[in-house]
Amino acid sequence: GLETAIGARVRGLVQNGPGAVAGLKVGDIVVSVDGRTVTGPGHFAWLVASTRPGLTVPLLVARGRERLTLSLGVVEAQK
């Protein structure tokens, strides 16, 4: 069958930033944030930005053939 492309590929990480601390690796594909399906990179950024700073949310991540759940601590965006 046809597969719908979902998710957002991790292209880079800030050293010691929230993504790196959560365990994300370059090349991972974030499939969902807090149970909400990610439809692309912009949507992933919007989902994270719309989450209250200080919360920790689960990320469903595809890494090769593995499916992982990582915990992302949401921080306030740097100005």
Side-chain angles (χ1 to χ4, degrees), residues 11 26 32 41 52 62-63 69 72:
R11 299 197 183 280
V26 172
S32 72
R52 190 162 43 93
R63 180 177 294 161
T69 301
L72 177 71

Side-chain angles (χ1 to χ4, degrees), residues 10-58:
V10 177
R11 299 197 183 280
L13 292 162
V14 175
Q15 187 173 359
N16 299 319
V21 170
L24 284 172
K25 296 185 183 305
V26 172
D28 284 352
I29 298 173
V30 180
V31 178
S32 72
V33 175
D34 201 17
R36 296 174 288 178
T37 300
V38 175
T39 59
H43 188 229
F44 170 64
W46 182 85
L47 287 171
V48 172
S50 67
T51 302
R52 190 162 43 93
L55 293 180
T56 299
V57 294

